[in-house]
Protein backbone atom coordinates (compact mmCIF):
# COMPACT_ATOMS: atom_id res chain seq x y z
CA UNK A 1 0.00 0.00 0.00
CA UNK A 2 1.27 3.48 -0.83
CA UNK A 3 0.95 5.70 2.25
CA UNK A 4 2.60 8.79 0.80
CA UNK A 5 0.99 12.06 -0.17
CA UNK A 6 0.10 12.77 -3.80
CA UNK A 7 2.96 13.91 -5.99
CA UNK A 8 3.46 17.67 -5.93
CA UNK A 9 4.17 20.06 -8.76
CA UNK A 10 7.72 21.16 -7.89
CA UNK A 11 10.33 18.73 -9.22
CA UNK A 12 13.12 17.31 -7.07
CA UNK A 13 15.90 14.86 -7.78
CA UNK A 14 16.25 12.11 -5.17
CA UNK A 15 19.29 9.84 -5.04
CA UNK A 16 17.98 6.32 -4.43
CA UNK A 17 20.44 3.51 -3.74
CA UNK A 18 17.88 0.91 -2.71
CA UNK A 19 18.92 1.04 0.92
CA UNK A 20 17.02 1.98 4.05
CA UNK A 21 18.19 5.59 4.24
CA UNK A 22 17.57 6.57 0.63
CA UNK A 23 14.12 4.96 0.68
CA UNK A 24 13.20 7.07 3.69
CA UNK A 25 14.65 10.13 1.99
CA UNK A 26 12.45 9.55 -1.06
CA UNK A 27 9.39 9.13 1.16
CA UNK A 28 10.19 12.40 2.93
CA UNK A 29 10.63 14.29 -0.35
CA UNK A 30 7.29 13.00 -1.58
CA UNK A 31 5.59 13.87 1.73
CA UNK A 32 7.05 17.38 1.52
CA UNK A 33 5.16 17.91 -1.70
CA UNK A 34 7.78 17.31 -4.37
CA UNK A 35 7.38 15.59 -7.72
CA UNK A 36 10.23 13.12 -7.33
CA UNK A 37 12.68 11.97 -9.97
CA UNK A 38 14.68 9.04 -8.61
CA UNK A 39 18.29 8.56 -9.67
CA UNK A 40 20.35 5.41 -9.05
CA UNK A 41 23.76 4.24 -10.22
CA UNK A 42 25.26 1.03 -11.50
CA UNK A 43 28.79 2.02 -10.62
CA UNK A 44 30.55 -1.33 -10.41
CA UNK A 45 29.37 -2.12 -6.89
CA UNK A 46 29.60 -5.74 -5.78
CA UNK A 47 26.15 -5.55 -4.16
CA UNK A 48 24.12 -5.15 -7.35
CA UNK A 49 20.96 -6.39 -5.62
CA UNK A 50 20.46 -2.87 -4.31
CA UNK A 51 19.43 -1.73 -7.79
CA UNK A 52 16.55 -4.22 -7.81
CA UNK A 53 15.54 -2.75 -4.47
CA UNK A 54 15.90 0.78 -5.85
CA UNK A 55 13.44 0.03 -8.63
CA UNK A 56 10.93 -1.32 -6.10
CA UNK A 57 11.41 1.67 -3.79
CA UNK A 58 11.00 4.19 -6.62
CA UNK A 59 7.82 2.50 -7.80
CA UNK A 60 6.34 1.96 -4.33
CA UNK A 61 7.00 5.53 -3.23
CA UNK A 62 5.62 7.15 -6.34
CA UNK A 63 8.64 8.51 -8.20
CA UNK A 64 7.42 9.93 -11.50
CA UNK A 65 10.58 8.66 -13.19
CA UNK A 66 13.49 6.45 -12.18
CA UNK A 67 16.79 6.40 -14.03
CA UNK A 68 19.76 4.11 -13.47
CA UNK A 69 23.02 5.61 -14.72
CA UNK A 70 25.99 3.44 -15.69
CA UNK A 71 29.37 4.67 -14.51
CA UNK A 72 32.48 2.61 -13.79
CA UNK A 73 34.01 3.55 -10.46
CA UNK A 74 35.32 -0.03 -10.28
CA UNK A 75 37.82 0.97 -12.97
CA UNK A 76 39.63 2.99 -10.30
CA UNK A 77 39.07 0.53 -7.44
CA UNK A 78 40.28 1.60 -4.04
CA UNK A 79 37.20 0.31 -2.21
CA UNK A 80 35.98 -3.07 -1.00
CA UNK A 81 32.63 -2.21 -2.58
CA UNK A 82 34.09 -2.00 -6.10
CA UNK A 83 37.15 -4.30 -5.92
CA UNK A 84 36.43 -8.00 -5.29
CA UNK A 85 40.05 -8.54 -4.24
CA UNK A 86 39.45 -6.41 -1.13
CA UNK A 87 37.52 -8.06 1.69
CA UNK A 88 34.47 -6.34 3.17
CA UNK A 89 35.20 -5.89 6.91
CA UNK A 90 33.15 -8.05 9.24
CA UNK A 91 34.88 -7.17 12.50
CA UNK A 92 32.83 -4.21 13.68
CA UNK A 93 35.07 -1.57 12.15
CA UNK A 94 32.44 1.04 13.00
CA UNK A 95 34.37 1.78 16.18
CA UNK A 96 37.50 2.75 14.25
CA UNK A 97 38.42 6.41 13.77
CA UNK A 98 39.89 5.76 10.33
CA UNK A 99 37.93 5.88 7.07
CA UNK A 100 36.95 2.28 6.29
CA UNK A 101 37.90 0.34 3.18
CA UNK A 102 34.21 0.38 2.14
CA UNK A 103 34.49 4.10 1.37
CA UNK A 104 34.20 4.58 -2.41
CA UNK A 105 36.46 7.47 -3.51
CA UNK A 106 34.45 10.53 -4.57
CA UNK A 107 31.21 8.56 -4.84
CA UNK A 108 28.80 11.15 -3.46
CA UNK A 109 30.58 13.92 -5.36
CA UNK A 110 30.06 12.01 -8.60
CA UNK A 111 26.46 11.08 -7.76
CA UNK A 112 25.51 14.63 -6.82
CA UNK A 113 27.09 15.92 -10.02
CA UNK A 114 24.86 13.68 -12.10
CA UNK A 115 21.86 14.77 -10.01
CA UNK A 116 22.83 18.40 -10.59
CA UNK A 117 22.90 17.90 -14.36
CA UNK A 118 19.42 16.35 -14.35
CA UNK A 119 18.14 19.08 -12.02
CA UNK A 120 19.27 21.76 -14.48
CA UNK A 121 17.39 20.08 -17.33
CA UNK A 122 14.23 19.66 -15.25
CA UNK A 123 14.54 23.17 -13.78
CA UNK A 124 14.53 21.58 -10.34
CA UNK A 125 16.00 23.48 -7.41
CA UNK A 126 16.07 20.64 -4.91
CA UNK A 127 18.26 17.55 -4.71
CA UNK A 128 17.66 15.05 -1.91
CA UNK A 129 20.39 12.74 -0.64
CA UNK A 130 20.12 10.40 2.35
CA UNK A 131 23.51 11.08 3.93
CA UNK A 132 23.78 10.75 7.69
CA UNK A 133 26.37 12.13 10.10
CA UNK A 134 25.20 10.30 13.24
CA UNK A 135 24.95 6.53 12.63
CA UNK A 136 27.28 6.16 9.66
CA UNK A 137 30.50 4.43 8.66
CA UNK A 138 32.94 7.36 8.78
CA UNK A 139 32.66 8.47 5.16
CA UNK A 140 33.95 12.01 4.53
CA UNK A 141 31.28 12.67 1.87
CA UNK A 142 28.45 12.20 4.37
CA UNK A 143 29.39 15.22 6.49
CA UNK A 144 27.48 18.53 6.63
CA UNK A 145 30.67 20.37 5.60
CA UNK A 146 30.79 18.44 2.34
CA UNK A 147 27.11 19.07 1.58
CA UNK A 148 27.47 22.80 2.24
CA UNK A 149 30.53 22.99 0.00
CA UNK A 150 28.82 21.10 -2.84
CA UNK A 151 25.73 23.31 -2.63
CA UNK A 152 27.91 26.42 -2.87
CA UNK A 153 29.73 24.95 -5.87
CA UNK A 154 26.45 23.97 -7.54
CA UNK A 155 25.18 27.52 -7.39
CA UNK A 156 28.45 28.82 -8.84
CA UNK A 157 28.74 26.26 -11.62
CA UNK A 158 25.27 26.21 -13.19
CA UNK A 159 23.28 28.48 -15.47
CA UNK A 160 20.38 28.46 -13.04
CA UNK A 161 22.74 29.41 -10.22
CA UNK A 162 23.90 32.46 -12.13
CA UNK A 163 20.74 33.49 -13.98
CA UNK A 164 17.93 31.93 -11.97
CA UNK A 165 15.81 33.51 -9.31
CA UNK A 166 16.08 30.61 -6.89
CA UNK A 167 19.09 28.91 -5.38
CA UNK A 168 19.65 25.19 -5.77
CA UNK A 169 19.45 23.32 -2.46
CA UNK A 170 21.00 20.01 -1.44
CA UNK A 171 18.48 18.62 1.03
CA UNK A 172 19.67 16.17 3.69
CA UNK A 173 16.65 15.36 5.90
CA UNK A 174 18.41 12.43 7.61
CA UNK A 175 21.74 14.03 8.39
CA UNK A 176 21.11 14.58 12.12
CA UNK A 177 18.95 11.51 12.77
CA UNK A 178 19.93 8.25 14.43
CA UNK A 179 19.30 5.04 12.52
CA UNK A 180 16.36 4.30 14.82
CA UNK A 181 14.86 7.73 14.11
CA UNK A 182 15.26 7.18 10.37
CA UNK A 183 13.50 3.83 10.62
CA UNK A 184 10.62 5.28 12.62
CA UNK A 185 10.25 8.13 10.13
CA UNK A 186 10.24 5.71 7.20
CA UNK A 187 7.71 3.43 8.87
CA UNK A 188 5.38 6.39 9.43
CA UNK A 189 5.62 7.22 5.71
CA UNK A 190 4.92 3.67 4.56
CA UNK A 191 8.40 2.59 3.45
CA UNK A 192 8.62 -1.15 2.74
CA UNK A 193 11.91 -1.81 4.52
CA UNK A 194 11.68 -5.52 3.76
CA UNK A 195 12.35 -4.67 0.12
CA UNK A 196 15.39 -2.46 0.79
CA UNK A 197 18.97 -3.75 0.61
CA UNK A 198 21.71 -2.29 2.82
CA UNK A 199 24.23 -5.14 2.94
CA UNK A 200 27.64 -4.47 1.36
CA UNK A 201 27.82 -8.04 0.10
CA UNK A 202 24.20 -8.99 -0.46
CA UNK A 203 23.34 -12.08 -2.49
CA UNK A 204 21.77 -11.62 -5.92
CA UNK A 205 18.34 -12.09 -4.35
CA UNK A 206 19.05 -9.43 -1.73
CA UNK A 207 19.77 -11.74 1.21
CA UNK A 208 22.08 -9.97 3.66
CA UNK A 209 25.27 -11.28 5.26
CA UNK A 210 24.40 -9.94 8.71
CA UNK A 211 28.08 -9.28 9.49
CA UNK A 212 29.26 -6.18 7.56
CA UNK A 213 29.10 -2.65 8.97
CA UNK A 214 25.96 -1.83 7.00
CA UNK A 215 24.16 -4.89 8.38
CA UNK A 216 25.31 -4.11 11.91
CA UNK A 217 24.03 -0.53 11.71
CA UNK A 218 20.74 -1.64 10.22
CA UNK A 219 20.11 -4.37 12.79
CA UNK A 220 21.04 -2.07 15.68
CA UNK A 221 18.68 0.57 14.30
CA UNK A 222 15.68 -1.74 14.31
CA UNK A 223 16.58 -2.97 17.80
CA UNK A 224 16.88 0.60 19.09
CA UNK A 225 13.59 1.53 17.44
CA UNK A 226 11.91 -1.42 19.14
CA UNK A 227 10.77 -2.83 15.80
CA UNK A 228 11.16 -6.22 14.17
CA UNK A 229 13.99 -6.37 11.65
CA UNK A 230 12.44 -7.41 8.29
CA UNK A 231 15.83 -8.05 6.66
CA UNK A 232 16.35 -11.43 5.03
CA UNK A 233 19.67 -12.81 6.25
CA UNK A 234 21.41 -15.69 4.54
Amino acid sequence: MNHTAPAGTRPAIVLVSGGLDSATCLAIARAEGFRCYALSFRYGQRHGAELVAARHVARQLGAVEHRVMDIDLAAFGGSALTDASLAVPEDGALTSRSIPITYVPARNTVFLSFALAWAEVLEAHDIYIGVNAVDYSGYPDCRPEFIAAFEKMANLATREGLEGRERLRIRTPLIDLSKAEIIRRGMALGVDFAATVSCYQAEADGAACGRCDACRLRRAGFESAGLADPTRYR
Side-chain angles (χ1 to χ4, degrees), residues 40-57:
S40 305
F41 295 88
R42 186 181 293 105
Y43 62 92
Q45 66 270 50
R46 63 198 297 167
H47 49 310
E50 67 177 11
L51 290 175
V52 177
R55 285 192 288 270
H56 174 89
V57 165

Side-chain angles (χ1 to χ4, degrees), residues 128-209:
Y128 279 78
I129 181 171
V131 294
N132 179 261
V134 180
D135 287 342
Y136 78 123
S137 296
Y139 300 153
D141 54 2
C142 288
R143 297 174 301 151
E145 297 92 332
F146 164 73
I147 296 298
F150 191 96
E151 182 177 283
K152 181 178 180 180
M153 181 279 297
N155 282 286
L156 289 171
T158 57
R159 180 173 58 194
E160 185 65 18
L162 293 178
E163 299 179 354
R165 291 172 295 178
E166 188 175 351
R167 287 179 56 80
L168 185 136
R169 293 169 293 274
I170 309 297
R171 296 185 176 268
T172 57
L174 312 183
I175 201 158
D176 293 322
L177 302 183
S178 69
K179 189 66 73 176
E181 289 170 330
I182 293 169
I183 289 169
R184 292 192 193 101
R185 187 76 185 275
M187 290 287 288
L189 293 172
V191 175
D192 178 13
F193 286 128
T196 62
V197 173
S198 301
C199 179
Y200 288 151
Q201 47 192 358
E203 298 283 3
D205 65 355
C209 73

Side-chain angles (χ1 to χ4, degrees), residues 16-178:
V16 178
S17 69
L20 181 155
D21 292 346
S22 69
T24 301
C25 193
L26 176 57
I28 290 172
R30 179 85 185 277
E32 289 179 348
F34 286 94
R35 182 175 174 83
C36 297
Y37 292 79
L39 183 60
S40 305
F41 295 88
R42 186 181 293 105
Y43 62 92
Q45 66 270 50
R46 63 198 297 167
H47 49 310
E50 67 177 11
L51 290 175
V52 177
R55 285 192 288 270
H56 174 89
V57 165
R59 182 172 58 251
Q60 190 251 345
L61 294 174
V64 296
E65 186 175 350
H66 177 218
R67 294 194 180 190
V68 178
M69 306 300 296
D70 285 288
I71 54 178
D72 188 12
L73 295 182
F76 302 121
S79 169
L81 300 193
T82 57
D83 185 344
S85 71
L86 299 175
V88 172
E90 297 180 354
D91 57 358
L94 292 173
T95 57
S96 172
R97 291 182 179 272
S98 61
I99 297 172
I101 193 64
T102 50
Y103 162 67
V104 180
R107 181 175 59 179
N108 282 347
T109 304
V110 172
F111 288 1
L112 282 170
S113 296
F114 272 75
L116 178 60
W118 200 13
E120 279 214 88
V121 173
L122 295 175
E123 297 183 350
H125 294 90
D126 300 270
I127 296 173
Y128 279 78
I129 181 171
V131 294
N132 179 261
V134 180
D135 287 342
Y136 78 123
S137 296
Y139 300 153
D141 54 2
C142 288
R143 297 174 301 151
E145 297 92 332
F146 164 73
I147 296 298
F150 191 96
E151 182 177 283
K152 181 178 180 180
M153 181 279 297
N155 282 286
L156 289 171
T158 57
R159 180 173 58 194
E160 185 65 18
L162 293 178
E163 299 179 354
R165 291 172 295 178
E166 188 175 351
R167 287 179 56 80
L168 185 136
R169 293 169 293 274
I170 309 297
R171 296 185 176 268
T172 57
L174 312 183
I175 201 158
D176 293 322
L177 302 183
S178 69

